[in-house]
Amino acid sequence: MSNPQNMSILDAQGECGGAHMATRPGILGWLDANFEKPFLAVGMLAIIFIITFQTLYRYIGVHMHEGASAAIWTEEMARFIFIWISYLALPVAIRNRSSIRVDIIYDRLPKRFQEMSWVVVDLCFLVLAGTVLWQSLDLIKMQIEFPQTTPALQISYYIPYLVLPVSFGLMALRLVEDLFAQARVCGLKDTLLALAACAALAAPVMLAEDLEPLPVLFGYFAIFLAVGVPIAIGLGLAALATIIAAGTLPIEYIAQVAFTSIDSFPIMAIPFFIAAGVFMGAGGLSRRLLTLADEMLGSLHGGMALATIGTCMFFAAISGSGPATVAAIGSLTIPAMVERGYDKYFSAAVVAAAGAIGVMIPPSNPFVVYGVSAQVSIGKLFLGGIVPGVLTGLALMVYSYWYSKKRGWKGEVRVRNLRTFTRALWDAKWALMVPVIVLGGIYGGIMTPTEAAALAAFYGLFVGCFIHRELNCGSLYDCIVEAAGTSAVVIVLMAMATIFGNIMTIEEVPTAIATAMLNLTENKIAILMLINVLLIVIGTFMEALAAIVILTPILLPIVLKVGVDPVHFGVIMVVNLAIGFVPPPVGVNLFVASGVAHAKIEHLSKVVMPLIAIMIGVLLLITYVPALPMFLAE
């Protein structure tokens, strides 16, 4: 979707150049460009409706029909559909070249080497896709020979597992298609050089015997990141290289875990929260929140900046995503601030910093991922994020007020009274109900976080289509496909990180790192400071969800040994990685705000530094005064 209000995290990361596959004319061209998308749209709507039905039926249906019991098939069916759409979205991501990847080296390469790198990336991805395809066919064959049925639906297990050969087969086709297109761009000579680079990359694994697993695992992962291979695929390929070189696990394990690792009801909260944010942004709720915030704060010095931060805090309770918050709110507020006389760079910097609150205030996808990775209560993590999010917002407001007063940026002079406030509040009532539904449902013991997320997505869909009527069939279809694609890349990242993490556990990497750090110092303050620095640096260069699934198994044992509560550490980790969205040179919020404002990154980087310093101050406060974030969670 080209509208910046509807940018996803993938768009924020940037679709890198190269030979995007041209759309051919006619019905074949349409099928080539859109084959997977109708399945994604139908699947996403299905799981939203199924889990919403499950939640409502538990409290309404059983009372309306005597002898009825809670639906037992809904969760299992929703999980299987969720796995199908997660993997079917990857061929779309391949075609669009939208992925979570580290571009810091790619962006500095000459154009010729950038084009060659795509040949390397496609070939690496093709190796993993081919391996999973091959192994999944063996897995399906075994399940047909030795049939087992699912507990609730009573269908053979090979039916849901068919997603692996179908989706990875489609990925392989998309990759081959992209390879041919990229070879035409590069020419024969550069294509052969890229093939030679791939052969050199594979040679140590294929030719050497009895390699040490850890150098292979981390060495190949670092190389894949540097080359520009998507992080999820880099994790899977590094694990595959280690399995081949060191025999750490049977190779059949990869296909099995690709399914079982995401066959999880709590993980389903991620696509639901993403869908809720997309529906509400496109359905006009973010605009109404901005009007309410402007009514409350717009008369003060820097009123529009204060309203922007306040809107980001409200929208954070809807979207659960930093870049999505920046895109949705920035497209409305940055032009409005510039029109009222604010400096363009300050306007963009405020939105970039305030957008980080999107992953602190619940619902928050990073908290969901950390909760699953660390096996701690997602509900407690949501409560733990409220205080850091509010403190960050208030601190940014204080700075914006002072800076605006210094520059003479006064609020908009117009009539503001109880009547205008009441009108703005009434217009925003549907948006303000979302936190009530989500948090009230979870902490009232009515719903699980996943059910609350599904209900929020259904609510956003209903309000956008039937109350505000700003979602029509075309825009709704685009929103659903966007939400499915955005969530799928995150889900597959978790699947590949599970394989990577299991190898780390077998090789006792977390234990070794914990021992080394505790040998360096057992001082709790020093260890938390070292971890904070590490997380901010990593968060600047790596997407937050990827960092959580990779680092949680490594860092959690360390903080547990010095007496840090795992919920408190989850809050620390997410706030760190939220700040990492902002700093130059690769902070994703900064890039999104820069694109919306048409502002140069180098100038924007200077203006945003004081805001980053303020956010780090809040981070240190919640790190060393655990009562602040924990008093709600406890």
Side-chain angles (χ1 to χ4, degrees):
M1 299 173 67
S2 59
N3 185 344
Q5 181 173 338
N6 295 318
M7 275 189 191
S8 70
I9 190 170
L10 307 177
D11 299 315
Q13 287 289 88
E15 289 187 5
C16 301
H20 284 265
M21 288 175 269
T23 301
R24 291 171 289 189
I27 187 67
L28 290 178
W30 186 91
L31 283 173
D32 179 49
N34 299 282
F35 178 75
E36 301 91 352
K37 292 179 181 178
F39 298 102
L40 300 183
V42 171
M44 177 63 82
L45 282 177
I47 61 175
I48 290 171
F49 289 145
I50 288 170
I51 298 303
T52 301
F53 167 77
Q54 170 181 294
T55 307
L56 297 178
Y57 186 78
R58 187 167 60 242
Y59 293 101
I60 299 173
V62 294
H63 297 294
M64 293 178 63
H65 177 43
E66 187 178 350
S69 59
I72 60 173
W73 55 269
T74 50
E75 181 179 321
E76 187 172 271
M77 176 176 282
R79 287 201 328 267
F80 291 157
I81 296 173
F82 158 69
I83 296 169
W84 270 84
I85 63 173
S86 294
Y87 280 116
L88 283 177
L90 280 191
V92 179
I94 291 168
R95 192 181 195 283
N96 296 334
R97 285 190 174 170
S98 55
S99 57
I100 300 174
R101 48 179 262 159
V102 178
D103 287 332
I104 188 168
I105 295 177
Y106 173 91
D107 291 339
R108 286 157 178 76
L109 290 175
K111 180 68 174 176
R112 177 191 173 194
F113 289 103
Q114 286 184 345
E115 301 292 1
M116 290 171 63
S117 76
W118 278 107
V119 176
V120 176
V121 168
D122 283 346
L123 283 169
C124 289
F125 199 155
L126 189 58
V127 168
L128 184 64
T131 301
V132 177
L133 173 60
W134 168 46
Q135 293 298 331
S136 64
L137 289 172
D138 286 345
L139 190 59
I140 298 293
K141 183 181 177 182
M142 182 187 70
Q143 288 170 339
I144 293 173
E145 289 179 1
F146 305 99
Q148 289 182 311
T149 56
T150 63
L153 295 173
Q154 291 295 301
I155 60 173
S156 176
Y157 263 110
Y158 81 84
I159 295 174
Y161 269 88
L162 278 172
V163 67
L164 296 177
V166 170
S167 60
F168 281 90
L170 283 170
M171 289 179 219
L173 289 174
R174 292 294 192 189
L175 288 164
V176 169
E177 186 181 9
D178 193 59
L179 266 173
F180 277 107
Q182 192 63 42
R184 286 195 294 268
V185 172
C186 291
L188 180 61
K189 179 183 175 181
D190 284 354
T191 301
L192 291 174
L193 287 173
L195 290 171
C198 289
L201 195 60
V205 171
M206 303 306 295
L207 300 178
E209 295 182 2
D210 298 326
L211 293 176
E212 285 295 319
L214 292 184
V216 175
L217 185 70
F218 290 106
Y220 269 99
F221 181 55
I223 292 170
F224 290 135
L225 289 186
V227 170
V229 174
I231 295 174
I233 307 309
L235 288 166
L237 281 169
L240 176 62
T242 307
I243 289 170
I244 293 171
T248 309
L249 290 165
I251 196 168
E252 296 83 3
Y253 174 82
I254 292 179
Q256 181 77 39
V257 175
F259 187 95
T260 58
S261 60
I262 61 172
D263 185 13
S264 165
F265 191 65
I267 293 176
M268 288 178 62
I270 294 172
F272 292 146
F273 281 134
I274 289 174
V278 172
F279 293 156
M280 292 175 193
L285 277 78
S286 56
R287 188 178 68 254
R288 289 167 173 82
L289 287 173
L290 176 61
T291 302
L292 176 61
D294 188 36
E295 186 65 35
M296 295 168 63
L297 303 166
S299 63
L300 303 172
H301 282 280
M304 195 61 195
L306 301 180
T308 297
I309 297 167
T311 307
C312 286
M313 294 169 71
F314 278 126
F315 198 76
I318 296 173
S319 75
S321 167
T325 301
V326 174
I329 305 304
S331 61
L332 298 173
T333 60
I334 292 174
M337 290 172 73
V338 172
E339 185 180 331
R340 295 187 189 183
Y342 291 77
D343 176 70
K344 175 172 70 172
Y345 298 105
F346 175 77
S347 303
V350 165
V351 176
I357 301 171
V359 297
M360 299 182 200
I361 294 178
S364 163
N365 287 328
F367 278 137
V368 174
V369 174
Y370 175 83
V372 173
S373 300
Q375 295 295 296
V376 299
S377 167
I378 295 172
K380 286 186 177 181
L381 289 167
F382 280 0
L383 285 176
I386 293 174
V387 171
V390 171
L391 283 177
T392 302
L394 292 176
L396 292 176
M397 282 183 177
V398 170
Y399 174 79
S400 297
Y401 177 84
W402 170 82
Y403 190 85
S404 299
K405 191 172 184 179
K406 180 181 174 184
R407 293 297 184 96
W409 297 331
K410 297 181 180 179
E412 184 185 27
V413 178
R414 64 175 175 82
V415 175
R416 283 183 172 86
N417 53 37
L418 182 60
R419 183 178 179 182
T420 59
F421 171 76
T422 305
R423 185 186 302 120
L425 182 65
W426 181 254
D427 286 343
K429 62 184 180 297
W430 299 109
L432 296 174
M433 282 297 294
V434 177
V436 176
I437 293 171
V438 173
L439 301 182
I442 294 171
Y443 301 115
I446 300 170
M447 298 175 275
T448 66
T450 301
E451 291 172 337
L455 202 60
F458 177 80
Y459 178 87
L461 180 66
F462 183 84
V463 171
C465 289
F466 300 109
I467 296 178
H468 293 161
R469 297 184 180 180
E470 296 189 24
L471 279 176
N472 54 39
C473 290
S475 61
L476 177 60
Y477 177 79
D478 289 340
C479 286
I480 295 169
V481 171
E482 177 191 343
T486 302
S487 64
V489 178
V490 175
I491 300 304
V492 174
L493 170 68
M494 296 182 70
M496 296 298 112
T498 300
I499 302 169
F500 189 92
N502 285 350
I503 294 176
M504 285 200 304
T505 302
I506 290 169
E507 298 299 327
E508 299 183 335
V509 172
T511 304
I513 293 175
T515 302
M517 186 171 281
L518 292 171
N519 286 339
L520 181 66
T521 176
E522 292 188 5
N523 184 282
K524 180 178 176 180
I525 295 174
I527 284 175
L528 287 174
M529 183 60 72
L530 287 171
I531 289 175
N532 276 335
V533 172
L534 172 69
L535 288 173
I536 287 179
V537 171
I538 288 177
T540 301
F541 294 96
M542 184 178 288
E543 205 278 327
L545 300 178
I548 290 170
V549 294
I550 293 169
L551 295 177
T552 297
I554 296 174
L555 298 178
L556 187 60
I558 298 171
V559 297
L560 290 178
K561 287 186 178 180
V562 295
V564 178
D565 186 283
V567 173
H568 181 213
F569 180 65
V571 174
I572 293 171
M573 178 176 257
V574 169
V575 172
N576 265 293
L577 295 172
I579 295 172
F581 281 129
V582 185
V586 291
V588 64
N589 279 15
L590 204 65
F591 271 96
V592 177
S594 170
V596 173
H598 305 292
K600 289 188 176 180
I601 274 290
E602 54 266 31
H603 298 313
L604 188 54
S605 299
K606 296 176 184 176
V607 180
V608 82
M609 294 311 292
L611 298 170
I612 294 172
I614 289 167
M615 296 170 77
I616 291 174
V618 174
L619 168 66
L620 294 175
L621 194 61
I622 63 108
T623 299
Y624 294 115
V625 187
L628 278 175
M630 292 298 290
F631 85 93
L632 286 176
E634 291 175 344

